[in-house]
Amino acid sequence: MQKTYSLALGWWAARWIAHIWVIKYLEEKNIIINEIAWTSMWAIIWACFAIGKTSEEMTQIIKDIKFLKLIDLNFKESIISWDKVYKMLENIFWDLLIENTLIPLKIVATNLESWEKHIFTSWKIIDAVRASINLPTIFKPFEINWIKYLDWWLNSNLPILELNWNDIIAVSVVRENNKEIIYSHKVFLWIKFKTSFWKYNYQILKKTISIVMRNNEDFCMTLAQNSWKNIILIKPDVWDYEYYDFIKYDEISKKGYEEIKDFKF
């Protein structure tokens, strides 16, 4: 009898593109997925998977997205307006409902008033995705039924605990090389130059956020394992890619395949 799995997907800016070729592998091996949980930006990819789109179709969606053109500066209530992003989501999902997808979905967001997580298992896909990919200060909190929602990644970047089944494939894209160094200097022609204020602090911020994400992922996995869940952790080697490397979608997506193909299901 063929085994079935649930999926928990981790986020981190452009690195979530690695999930596309994870799907490619699942398609090739005819691995049955009975449930999906995620939060934040990769919700777009896995919602596509849940409604029946193939990895090839999702790759084309990424190719067609002009990421810079989606940036609509606002500065009134947030840095970026949601108008262009919402229009893009409408073109992908129309009025489809979560409860009507081929694979059951759990889209996780944060209730801004209560600080508690909210799991969308019904509602319009486009609105639930919009609530889940809502980065604080970058985008204005999205409101559904007079409740405002934000991203859930600070609390649970890898939503394993939200899944009901015991056999879980979890994909994390924040497992950086432990030997990574934050450079305060750079060398050019054997001359040492001090790294700029902005680049140095960018490195620190990048590392800090990754530490928060990795720690909350580890905490969730420990709780899940203590509840006798069997977790297969996939860790694509995407640490060298920056938050904004969306144009490197081809390289990043293949990293997911390179990692998952070594596992036996």
Side-chain angles (χ1 to χ4, degrees):
M1 182 176 176
Q2 190 173 10
K3 210 168 187 179
T4 60
Y5 294 88
S6 292
L7 279 171
L9 295 316
W11 173 75
W12 198 204
R15 297 176 192 168
W16 58 266
I17 297 172
H19 294 312
I20 294 176
W21 274 41
V22 169
I23 295 173
K24 180 179 175 65
Y25 179 87
L26 298 177
E27 291 171 341
E28 290 177 354
K29 300 301 179 182
N30 294 314
I31 294 172
I32 299 171
I33 301 301
N34 54 23
E35 186 183 23
I36 304 172
W38 70 75
T39 185
S40 202
M41 192 178 294
W42 75 91
I44 299 170
I45 291 301
W46 290 99
C48 286
F49 183 47
I51 65 176
K53 290 188 180 294
T54 65
S55 58
E56 186 176 338
E57 288 174 310
M58 283 180 264
T59 300
Q60 191 59 50
I61 289 172
I62 297 299
K63 287 181 180 180
D64 292 341
I65 294 175
K66 309 300 181 186
F67 289 97
L68 289 178
K69 291 185 178 181
L70 293 177
I71 298 176
D72 190 4
L73 298 179
N74 185 329
F75 297 117
K76 292 180 181 178
E77 297 177 272
S78 60
I79 296 177
I80 299 176
S81 169
W82 267 102
D83 295 343
K84 292 182 179 179
V85 176
Y86 198 85
K87 193 169 185 179
M88 176 201 71
L89 294 175
E90 282 184 320
N91 291 334
I92 298 173
F93 300 113
W94 310 292
D95 290 326
L96 294 175
L97 301 176
I98 297 173
E99 54 266 42
N100 293 336
T101 56
L102 299 176
I103 303 173
L105 297 180
K106 291 183 176 179
I107 304 176
V108 190
T110 303
N111 182 318
L112 185 57
E113 278 74 26
S114 68
W115 297 8
E116 296 176 347
K117 71 180 174 185
H118 180 88
I119 303 175
F120 289 94
T121 55
S122 63
W123 206 261
K124 286 176 62 175
I125 291 177
I126 186 172
D127 286 342
V129 168
R130 167 67 179 81
S132 185
I133 64 178
N134 204 332
L135 294 174
T137 72
I138 304 297
F139 299 111
K140 176 184 174 182
F142 189 63
E143 191 171 305
I144 299 175
N145 283 349
W146 303 284
I147 298 176
K148 294 180 179 179
Y149 293 97
L150 289 175
D151 207 309
W152 180 244
W153 64 266
L154 280 173
N155 292 287
S156 180
N157 191 56
L158 194 60
I160 295 171
L161 300 175
E162 287 70 29
L163 295 168
N164 294 327
W165 290 73
N166 287 333
D167 293 311
I168 297 171
I169 299 172
V171 186
S172 171
V173 291
V174 296
R175 304 283 152 166
E176 74 276 13
N177 185 335
N178 291 328
K179 296 180 180 179
E180 189 219 3
I181 300 171
I182 296 176
Y183 293 99
S184 58
H185 294 84
K186 60 182 177 179
V187 177
F188 179 70
L189 296 178
W190 300 281
I191 302 173
K192 185 180 285 188
F193 295 91
K194 188 173 182 180
T195 300
S196 71
F197 169 85
W198 297 109
K199 186 172 183 179
Y200 179 64
N201 282 281
Y202 166 75
Q203 291 181 79
I204 292 176
L205 178 62
K206 175 182 172 183
K207 184 74 172 180
T208 301
I209 295 175
S210 293
I211 289 170
V212 172
M213 286 182 165
R214 180 164 180 166
N215 284 344
N216 76 43
E217 287 188 0
D218 287 342
F219 177 71
C220 290
M221 282 193 291
T222 299
L223 290 179
Q225 287 165 344
N226 289 341
S227 300
W228 304 103
K229 289 185 181 292
N230 171 40
I231 301 171
I232 299 173
L233 181 62
I234 310 299
K235 304 176 289 183
D237 182 16
V238 290
W239 181 248
D240 290 334
Y241 296 96
E242 296 290 352
Y243 310 150
Y244 45 80
D245 279 339
F246 292 99
I247 60 172
K248 297 181 181 179
Y249 57 83
D250 194 45
E251 299 173 34
I252 297 173
S253 62
K254 290 176 182 177
K255 293 292 183 180
Y257 190 91
E258 289 171 9
E259 177 68 17
I260 195 171
K261 68 181 176 63
D262 295 327
F263 286 81
K264 303 297 181 184
F265 295 95

